[in-house]
Amino acid sequence: MARKDLTLRYAVIQFCFWVCFAGIVAFSSVYLLDRGLTNTQIGVMIAISGALAALLQPLVGSLMDRFPRLTSPALLAGIFGLLVADALALILIPGLSLLWTALFYGLMVMVAQLSQSLLNVIGVDSMSHGNTVNFNTARAIGSLGYAVAAWGIGEMAAKLPLFTVPLTVAVSAGIIVVIAGTYPLKGVEGEKRERVADEATGPIAFLKEYPVFLILLPALTMIYFGHSVLNTFTLQIVRRFGAGSAEMGTATAIAAICELVTVLCFAFYRKHFRITGLLCFSGIVFTFKVILSAVAQSVFAFDLAQACQMFAWGIMCVAIVYYVNETIPEKDRAKGQTYAGMTLTAANVISGVIGGQMIDTLGIGSLITVGIVVSACGSALMILAMTRKEKKEQVC
């Protein structure tokens, strides 16, 4: 069978996915505050949506490991078909109550978080099926999509009706449905399908077989907590400086452009540094970014803090995919990618539970301070997890 270069198709999926993610998650406060929800209500909605996504993510990973004929692109197409209908409902149904607005928007948040690890699985599956995919380039184009959406939606939100947020999501999700639905990736057939399904490890057995994940998963969750605070409540942060949605979009776009540069150069970093070292360094930069955000006294200073995204999420989003792919055998690889992706969802849940209420009662500054402490603890755990793994490899 001839090898197919799926980089372009996969890059289009990445681009449109991160446009959706920017519209749904980054602009949740902008859209929902305008519709009449409070910070506390937004936080609760994000927490519930994230909790549902976290519960479903292991099931999705197990489903793909147990039934290899079910391809990851086909699953993504089905999920994003639901997202199109959901976003259109927010636009076309007039006079939605606060409850129904929260329910429809919460479903979008759940789908976005549920699908993030699935996006990585598609790239890994494409390569394992003998095709050519330049993962770094495709992921960089995804960051470009996030940057374009963050700047564009920010400008539109300041000048046009806010239905442009779900409209952007609906259009981008529709493109994903078409591209993923026709993605030329076949399920595993015959004896290999049966072998992979029989060898797949259950959730509890997975953690016993790969004990480093008992430390790695909490470490990622804690590191991502500070990241989630900055991403979810960016509007509240820039409002401290008298700014609005346009400045928020610019700050978010700066972070995405900076991470794009690192993702494009990741092959260089991977050649000269260990994946474990990159993960540790990235965790430290995540914490440093939250610290700089806490002490920022202007939009310009906050924009400088956003530039830390270059070595924070820019490294982590690619390094963790390679780490799981190189550490976990094929029989559990989808599950491993799903669990790693689930940590971001878990962080969003935790930040949503305490974030909105803290902002309404104590202010955004107190929430960022909590983010510093939690992120620093996560960085320490990450170093522990990676050094333990290296010591074990040296003994073996």
Side-chain angles (χ1 to χ4, degrees), residues 21 24-30 32 37-54 102-103 105-111 113 228-229 231-234 236 344-356 359:
F21 201 89
I24 294 169
V25 178
F27 285 86
S28 58
S29 290
V30 174
L32 295 172
L37 275 73
T38 66
N39 289 310
T40 299
Q41 291 169 334
I42 293 171
V44 170
M45 182 218 68
I46 290 174
I48 294 174
S49 302
L52 292 173
L103 287 175
Y105 205 95
L107 181 59
M108 290 204 305
V109 174
M110 185 192 75
V111 169
Q113 297 190 43
S228 178
V229 165
N231 279 5
T232 304
F233 301 106
T234 312
Q236 289 84 344
L344 180 58
T345 304
N348 288 331
V349 171
I350 299 169
S351 67
V353 167
I354 71 171
I359 292 172

Side-chain angles (χ1 to χ4, degrees), residues 223 274-286 315-316 379-387 390:
I223 290 170
R274 292 185 178 184
I275 290 291
T276 52
L278 289 172
L279 289 172
C280 293
F281 175 68
S282 176
I284 293 170
V285 179
F286 266 109
I315 288 179
M316 186 71 76
S379 299
L381 274 181
M382 175 65 77
I383 294 171
L384 175 63
M386 295 299 100
T387 52
E390 288 185 351

Side-chain angles (χ1 to χ4, degrees), residues 121-392:
V121 173
I122 292 174
V124 172
D125 281 353
S126 298
M127 291 183 283
S128 64
H129 280 63
N131 301 300
T132 300
V133 171
N134 189 324
F135 182 86
N136 296 352
T137 299
R139 184 59 187 79
I141 291 175
S143 296
L144 177 63
Y146 194 93
V148 170
W151 179 81
I153 296 175
E155 292 295 321
M156 288 190 295
K159 301 172 184 176
L160 300 174
L162 278 177
F163 72 80
T164 52
V165 175
L167 179 61
T168 301
V169 172
V171 172
S172 301
I175 295 174
I176 289 177
V177 172
V178 174
I179 300 298
T182 57
Y183 199 84
L185 183 63
K186 295 182 178 180
V188 180
E189 299 291 344
E191 295 180 0
K192 186 175 182 182
R193 179 187 72 235
E194 296 175 1
R195 176 179 58 80
V196 172
D198 290 340
E199 292 178 354
T201 306
I204 297 177
F206 177 90
L207 294 176
K208 290 181 178 179
E209 187 166 346
Y210 314 106
V212 69
F213 273 69
L214 289 170
I215 305 175
L216 177 62
L217 296 181
L220 286 170
T221 302
M222 296 171 79
I223 290 170
Y224 288 154
F225 174 82
H227 176 68
S228 178
V229 165
L230 298 184
N231 279 5
T232 304
F233 301 106
T234 312
L235 179 65
Q236 289 84 344
I237 294 173
V238 298
R239 278 182 172 177
R240 293 188 301 171
F241 317 123
S245 60
E247 291 80 4
M248 170 202 156
T250 299
T252 305
I254 288 171
I257 291 171
C258 289
E259 79 179 42
L260 182 156
V261 174
T262 301
V263 173
L264 282 174
C265 299
F266 191 81
F268 171 82
Y269 296 123
R270 191 182 179 209
K271 181 179 179 181
H272 291 85
F273 304 99
R274 292 185 178 184
I275 290 291
T276 52
L278 289 172
L279 289 172
C280 293
F281 175 68
S282 176
I284 293 170
V285 179
F286 266 109
T287 303
F288 185 61
K289 179 184 175 184
V290 186
I291 293 172
L292 289 181
S293 300
V295 300
Q297 298 296 316
S298 65
V299 172
F300 178 73
F302 180 66
D303 287 345
L304 290 179
Q306 289 289 84
C308 290
Q309 190 87 338
M310 179 177 291
F311 298 116
W313 181 251
I315 288 179
M316 186 71 76
C317 69
V318 182
I320 194 63
V321 174
Y322 279 108
Y323 176 82
V324 173
N325 198 44
E326 295 170 3
T327 305
I328 306 299
E330 182 182 1
K331 66 186 180 72
D332 292 317
R333 197 164 288 155
K335 192 183 289 88
Q337 295 290 356
T338 301
Y339 285 0
M342 190 173 65
T343 57
L344 180 58
T345 304
N348 288 331
V349 171
I350 299 169
S351 67
V353 167
I354 71 171
Q357 190 169 2
M358 281 195 70
I359 292 172
D360 283 337
T361 56
L362 300 175
I364 186 65
S366 298
L367 179 60
I368 298 176
T369 301
V370 173
I372 293 172
V373 175
V374 175
S375 183
C377 292
S379 299
L381 274 181
M382 175 65 77
I383 294 171
L384 175 63
M386 295 299 100
T387 52
R388 277 191 60 178
K389 182 180 183 300
E390 288 185 351
K391 287 179 181 178
K392 184 176 179 181

